[in-house]
Amino acid sequence: MGLFGLEKLRFGHSQNGGGNGAGKILNVKKNIKNSGLSSVFAKKPRREAVFEIKSPNGRLVATFMLDKGQICYFVKKDEQVIVRRSKLGIAVKDDRPMTDDFGLIRAYSKSIDETWEAYWGEQRVIRNHYNETAIYLEETGKPNRLLTLRFRVFDDGVAFRYEVPVQNAMDKMIVADELTEFTVDVNGQSWSIPAYQPDRYEYDYTNKRVHELHESVHTPLTIQCPTGHYISLHEAALYNYGSMTLKLDGASLRSDITPLADGMRAYVELPFSTPWRVIMVGNSAVDLVVNRMLLNLNEPPRDDFSWVSPTKFLGIWWAMYVGEWTWAPGERHGATTEHAKQYIDACAKLGIPALLIEGWNDGWEGDWLENGRYNKFTEATPDFDMRAVANYARENGVEIVGHHETVGFIDNYEEQIEDAYAFLRERGVRYIKSGYAGSKMMINGQREFHHSQLGVLHYQYALELAAEYQIMLDVHEPIKGTGIERTWPNLMTREGARGQEYEGGALVPSHACFLPFTRLLAGGMDYTSGIFDVGNFSKRIASTIVRQLAYYVTIYSSMQMAADRPQLYLENFPDLFAFIRDVPVRWEKTVPLLGEIGRSFVVARQAWQGDEWYVGGVTNEEGRKVELYLDFIEPRMDYVATIYRDSEDAHYRDHQLGYVIEERIVRRGDRIELYMAPGGGFAIKLKKEKT
Ligand code: NOJ
Ligand code: CA
């Protein structure tokens, strides 16, 4: 097989841009210099060289070395080694690996300091501040291939990528392997989920020493180094290439790029750049939470995306999980016109702007995982009229979130995708939740990993086409986040980890205390929060009811679901629901207050261009007291704090409904003491008192 000529990116990707309105660069300072190295005219390129690339504050240093032709690097923070000398390289099919026979041609450095405004996210205005060095290399022996290594060093991390320019020796390349090492101290503690498993990213986190990582794990891979530093290894701008997993190779972690069915990692035409290899570096675990390297390493959008709007949604969804309704047509079919209208009425009453409808289209009968190959995305079941539902929604000021469950049958989906998007758009539907259930995808008649180059190309194609149709996506069973939502802000959110669909014993309370330091470093997640029927026998969930509110603050998503059935919100717990109604879906600023990986996480966030603040906290299986210092709110102002907290006797196993709601007047500098029950949490809304 070969991928050449199968280019599915209709509009290209990651071009320079800087569209109109939000997403634009607000100001830039650039300083570009030629490092003045051996000239292009030198007869023999030098096989020895050292470049130190320092962060703007000088404390983090990446050193690139050319050592007798071998390319390698190491990283130090405050003179302490974070990544020991590690080899770099690419193994090319049917040729020598590009790793140890290079000479230096030249190098360029530049400094960038710019700020830009996001369309949505955890932080509205973002500073992109780094020093860059690009090192141009040529093999000293035949076939004299050219390779560029580009390093960017930020105050909070190091990124580098391989660039293979157009050259005489080759115009395309089959990547057999990528030889990037990350030689961190093997005694470091790591938190990871396994790669190449049937449920993709939907696993519990395990805590292992780095020297135990014999099997490939997904990134972000977060590690506490023996020096005390916290790092997370990941990638940015993953396009047209297999996704990077990591595993131990000797004493180093090494890139293991998700292979295609034929074992190759990528088929690329030149010029080509790999995704950025990213090492986020923090002094504490919560430092990682505010690392914005991924977004900064992606390009600004090319077009205007001001049509994109974050939202909250109810769903014809959880009723299926608890067995009241079904996805498939029949007596208990969930997605009927009648149910949809009832749920739209509920959205209007609850102040929730959108409604997800799953199971509306043809394809859910029988063994849906197997029959997914025949799913039709433009044909509704006989008891569902999408036009009537969408019209009714519009009359009530509600939007519909359509649903495309592809079951990974990409060949079937891509045949229909344009018509499927057009079908929904013609009916006024602007949001789609897509799904890729199944352990592998079916692409070009072959089984492929979701995270292989062909999978990556499909997700990108679906996203770019969605942008053309002005459709916003919530992707389940996705490719992991690598910051591309900066360039494609219609990629609203993803699943890509275990979410609450696993509840019923399969999820442990610590899971939500791992996510902020691992999966969520890669971007927002649709965790399907807001389940109030916590004690339901058929789908019992490992959480107190108050913790369900905390998730809206601790787990960022620009599309947040209120996942339970609306009657619980309307009839049983309108007092708690008020928080879900009020909580924003994009933030001006994010201030993590405390956190220990797998144990607890507390974060404060300021409303987008607003002065309200929200605080959320979660704990693992252990109950704990926390002290919050309100030093983030404006000084000399009274705030009304509405506090939703666990009662002293609450417990995720047998007393989920123990909760207290109280109001206090607070000021900057005040201290609030709170108790989180085992498997519990809290949520606080802080609103300025009117004077
Ligand atoms: C898995 C998704 O995560 C879930 O939200 C969805 O309901 C099912 N697939 C069916 O599409
Ligand atoms: Ca899922």
Side-chain angles (χ1 to χ4, degrees), residues 175-182 194-196 213-219 235 241-249 252-260 263-265 277 449 451-452 480:
V175 178
D177 207 355
E178 188 185 304
L179 310 172
T180 307
E181 290 179 350
F182 300 91
Y196 305 122
L213 297 177
H214 298 291
E215 303 293 333
S216 297
V217 296
H218 284 297
T219 72
E235 57 186 320
Y241 200 73
S243 145
M244 181 175 76
T245 71
L246 294 169
K247 85 173 187 200
L248 204 66
D249 179 8
S252 299
L253 284 173
R254 219 244 288 163
S255 57
D256 172 18
I257 307 300
T258 306
L260 291 156
M264 293 297 110
R265 316 296 173 128
R277 305 302 170 213
F449 284 114
H451 314 131
S452 65
K480 69 188 176 187

Side-chain angles (χ1 to χ4, degrees), residues 202 317 321 327 358 364 368 403 405 433 437 476-477 495 501 528:
E202 299 174 6
W317 191 71
Y321 276 89
W327 276 273
E358 293 204 5
W364 291 91
W368 66 278
H403 184 234
E405 176 50 77
K433 171 178 168 180
H476 279 234
E477 297 79 41
E495 188 191 33
E501 65 183 15
T528 58

Side-chain angles (χ1 to χ4, degrees), residues 293-428:
M293 285 174 72
L294 292 191
L295 294 173
N296 280 327
L297 289 163
N298 278 273
E299 302 290 336
R302 260 188 320 153
D303 299 318
D304 175 27
F305 278 84
S306 53
W307 50 272
V308 157
S309 45
T311 195
K312 282 179 230 167
F313 58 106
L314 291 182
I316 294 193
W317 191 71
W318 194 245
M320 274 94 93
Y321 276 89
V322 292
E324 284 170 13
W325 289 348
T326 58
W327 276 273
E331 261 175 31
R332 289 186 294 118
H333 187 209
T336 65
T337 302
E338 198 194 330
H339 289 156
K341 287 186 175 173
Q342 287 163 4
Y343 269 49
I344 289 165
D345 291 344
C347 284
K349 278 192 205 140
L350 291 165
I352 293 293
L355 172 68
L356 162 72
I357 305 171
E358 293 204 5
W360 68 273
N361 65 314
D362 187 70
W364 291 91
E365 278 154 316
D367 181 354
W368 66 278
L369 280 170
E370 204 28 57
N371 297 341
R373 68 181 76 235
Y374 309 115
N375 276 2
K376 298 208 176 65
F377 300 96
T378 50
E379 283 174 35
T381 55
D383 52 357
F384 185 79
D385 180 343
M386 183 60 97
R387 196 178 294 280
V389 166
N391 286 345
Y392 187 76
R394 194 170 317 110
E395 284 159 20
N396 285 280
V398 173
E399 293 210 45
I400 298 296
V401 180
H403 184 234
H404 286 173
E405 176 50 77
T406 69
V407 200
F409 288 101
I410 302 308
D411 296 337
N412 176 52
Y413 188 45
E414 287 196 353
E415 250 175 49
Q416 302 176 53
I417 190 168
E418 286 225 48
D419 293 343
Y421 282 174
F423 176 90
L424 290 175
R425 276 308 263 133
E426 278 162 18
R427 285 157 183 78

Side-chain angles (χ1 to χ4, degrees), residues 356-573:
L356 162 72
I357 305 171
E358 293 204 5
W360 68 273
N361 65 314
D362 187 70
W364 291 91
E365 278 154 316
D367 181 354
W368 66 278
L369 280 170
E370 204 28 57
N371 297 341
R373 68 181 76 235
Y374 309 115
N375 276 2
K376 298 208 176 65
F377 300 96
T378 50
E379 283 174 35
T381 55
D383 52 357
F384 185 79
D385 180 343
M386 183 60 97
R387 196 178 294 280
V389 166
N391 286 345
Y392 187 76
R394 194 170 317 110
E395 284 159 20
N396 285 280
V398 173
E399 293 210 45
I400 298 296
V401 180
H403 184 234
H404 286 173
E405 176 50 77
T406 69
V407 200
F409 288 101
I410 302 308
D411 296 337
N412 176 52
Y413 188 45
E414 287 196 353
E415 250 175 49
Q416 302 176 53
I417 190 168
E418 286 225 48
D419 293 343
Y421 282 174
F423 176 90
L424 290 175
R425 276 308 263 133
E426 278 162 18
R427 285 157 183 78
V429 177
R430 303 192 305 142
Y431 296 95
I432 297 179
K433 171 178 168 180
S434 56
Y436 296 87
S439 67
K440 279 192 176 179
M441 289 178 155
M442 180 66 89
I443 309 182
N444 300 334
Q446 300 216 61
R447 287 288 178 184
E448 300 280 358
F449 284 114
H450 285 60
H451 314 131
S452 65
Q453 182 188 17
L454 278 168
V456 169
L457 280 170
H458 166 73
Y459 290 112
Q460 190 61 25
Y461 171 55
L463 175 62
E464 297 192 17
L465 193 64
E468 202 195 356
Y469 280 83
Q470 300 206 339
I471 285 173
M472 291 162 268
L473 294 182
D474 168 3
V475 186
H476 279 234
E477 297 79 41
I479 183 67
K480 69 188 176 187
T482 57
I484 64 165
E485 58 272 28
R486 178 179 181 193
T487 314
W488 302 98
N490 61 318
L491 177 48
M492 306 304 288
T493 191
R494 301 176 164 91
E495 188 191 33
R498 274 197 169 186
Q500 293 213 104
E501 65 183 15
Y502 278 87
E503 287 287 17
L507 265 183
V508 287
S510 56
H511 187 61
C513 305
F514 287 115
L515 291 175
F517 309 102
T518 54
R519 158 68 184 81
L520 298 179
L521 302 180
M525 174 178 181
D526 180 9
Y527 195 62
T528 58
S529 305
I531 302 293
F532 282 1
D533 190 6
V534 274
N536 188 306
F537 195 68
S538 59
K539 205 76 178 167
R540 200 176 182 85
I541 72 169
S543 159
T544 62
I545 195 163
V546 159
R547 177 190 178 91
Q548 292 291 315
L549 306 184
Y551 289 155
Y552 291 87
V553 191
T554 61
I555 300 177
Y556 180 66
S557 184
S558 80
M559 282 176 71
Q560 283 279 18
M561 189 172 191
D564 213 327
R565 292 144 297 165
Q567 49 283 29
L568 274 106
Y569 301 145
L570 285 162
E571 289 157 25
N572 304 36
F573 302 102

